[in-house]
């Protein structure tokens, strides 16, 4: 059973507009969430993360929002640029006993296309 | 460039064969992770090593094994290969998995095709 779900396989937006990528999770024990971006023929690249003690984290054009009660997080990209066209993966982990990071559980990804 | 290198880039082999995938972590990173990405699937965690010792195991098949050497590079061995093993295999590395916000940096992957 998938613990991290990205229900939209693809998303198309116009350059300059906002891109909103969504992610739902089922395990209420997850306490750390990440977004990775992947271009073809490359490995995933870390984009932004958020701890469960926060509900928002911002880094330049990228903002991640966490709604723990809904078990939902989203990545906002404003403004979107053609270079943002890639597959975006949501990932989550549970802190291990002792404080170390647990294994990352990834969603299946959403392919974002930003049209000029 | 993440600083994580993986060889080979592509590998084509036949069912029943055995292959070895290699990963060199970023300079200074002690932990190595292996992931499998099959068609239309997210990345599935296979196994993690930290400073030469196995740290965590995911859904890794018994036909698969891995190790991390004293120079910190890692190898993933896949044996008795089946058609379903065809996938992208990614290696990632990180500095300190003891840190709950540790970031994993991924290599470019090895595409394995089993015919």
């Amino acid at each position: 059973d998938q613990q991290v779900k990205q229900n939209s396989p693809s998303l198309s937006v116009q350059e300059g507009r906002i891109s909103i990528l969504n992610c739902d999770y089922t395990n209420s024990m997850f306490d750390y969430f990440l977004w990775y971006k992947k271009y073809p023929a490359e490995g995933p690249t870390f984009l932004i993360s958020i701890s469960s003690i926060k509900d928002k984290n911002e880094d330049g054009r990228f903002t991640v929002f966490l709604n723990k009660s809904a078990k939902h997080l989203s990545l906002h990209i404003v403004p979107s640029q053609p270079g943002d066209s890639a597959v975006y993966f949501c990932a989550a982990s549970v802190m291990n006993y002792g404080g170390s990071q647990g294994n990352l559980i990834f969603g299946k990804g959403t392919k974002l296309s930003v049209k000029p | 460039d993440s600083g994580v290198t993986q060889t080979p880039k592509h590998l084509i082999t036949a069912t029943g064969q055995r292959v070895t995938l290699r990963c060199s972590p970023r300079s200074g990173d002690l932990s190595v992770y292996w992931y499998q990405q099959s068609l239309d699937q997210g990345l599935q965690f296979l196994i993690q090593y930290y400073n030469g010792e196995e740290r965590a195991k995911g859904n890794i098949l018994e036909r698969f094994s891995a190790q991390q050497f004293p120079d910190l590079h890692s190898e993933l061995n896949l044996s008795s290969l089946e058609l379903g093993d065809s996938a992208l295999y990614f290696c990632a590395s990180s500095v300190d998995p003891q840190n709950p916000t540790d970031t994993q940096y991924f290599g470019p992957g090895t595409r394995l095709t089993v015919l």
Side-chain angles (χ1 to χ4, degrees):
Chain A
D1 187 29
Q2 265 196 294
Q3 297 186 65
V4 177
K5 299 178 186 179
Q6 294 177 256
N7 292 320
S8 298
S10 62
L11 174 68
S12 182
V13 301
Q14 209 64 35
E15 180 178 5
R17 307 293 287 267
I18 184 171
S19 295
I20 300 176
L21 296 105
N22 294 303
C23 178
D24 296 296
Y25 60 95
T26 57
N27 187 345
S28 57
M29 298 296 290
F30 285 144
D31 52 18
Y32 189 58
F33 303 88
L34 309 90
W35 286 93
Y36 278 82
K37 177 170 75 172
K38 185 182 178 305
Y39 293 118
E42 294 183 13
T45 303
F46 171 73
L47 199 55
I48 193 169
S49 62
I50 188 166
S51 165
S52 61
I53 61 174
K54 294 185 171 182
D55 54 19
K56 177 183 173 182
N57 189 25
E58 202 169 342
D59 183 1
R61 296 186 296 114
F62 302 91
T63 303
V64 56
F65 295 92
L66 175 62
N67 182 334
K68 287 188 291 292
S69 60
K71 296 195 186 69
H72 177 83
L73 67 155
S74 60
L75 175 68
H76 293 210
I77 307 174
V78 183
S80 301
Q81 299 173 354
D84 296 329
S85 297
V87 177
Y88 288 78
F89 290 99
C90 169
S93 72
V94 179
M95 192 185 306
N96 289 324
Y97 179 76
S100 63
Q101 185 182 89
N103 303 330
L104 292 182
I105 309 296
F106 282 84
K108 291 188 179 182
T110 296
K111 184 175 182 179
L112 173 65
S113 299
V114 181
K115 310 279 187 207
Chain B
D1 184 356
S2 67
V4 179
T5 60
Q6 289 188 247
T7 56
K9 204 173 175 73
H10 301 278
L11 199 48
I12 301 175
T13 187
T15 54
Q17 295 298 304
R18 173 190 166 96
V19 297
T20 297
L21 313 184
R22 184 189 167 104
C23 168
S24 292
R26 295 186 322 155
S27 177
D29 284 1
L30 299 178
S31 197
V32 168
Y33 309 76
W34 286 98
Y35 291 85
Q36 178 193 57
Q37 185 184 19
S38 303
L39 194 65
D40 295 331
Q41 295 292 318
L43 288 87
Q44 302 285 323
F45 168 71
L46 295 178
I47 197 163
Q48 177 200 0
Y49 280 82
Y50 176 68
N51 209 16
E53 306 266 332
E54 183 184 301
R55 170 65 73 93
K57 245 179 178 175
N59 296 324
I60 187 167
L61 299 171
E62 284 193 15
R63 300 183 285 109
F64 296 1
S65 64
Q67 59 185 128
Q68 186 180 29
F69 294 87
D71 66 353
L72 300 177
H73 92 272
S74 178
E75 292 180 356
L76 178 66
N77 300 297
L78 314 177
S79 61
S80 303
L81 285 167
E82 301 175 359
L83 295 177
D85 297 328
S86 295
L88 268 170
Y89 290 85
F90 289 103
C91 168
S93 72
S94 71
V95 172
D96 178 17
Q98 288 298 119
N99 179 346
T101 61
D102 192 37
T103 297
Q104 296 181 30
Y105 295 88
F106 283 78
T110 292
R111 180 172 292 281
L112 173 67
T113 302
V114 183
L115 301 175

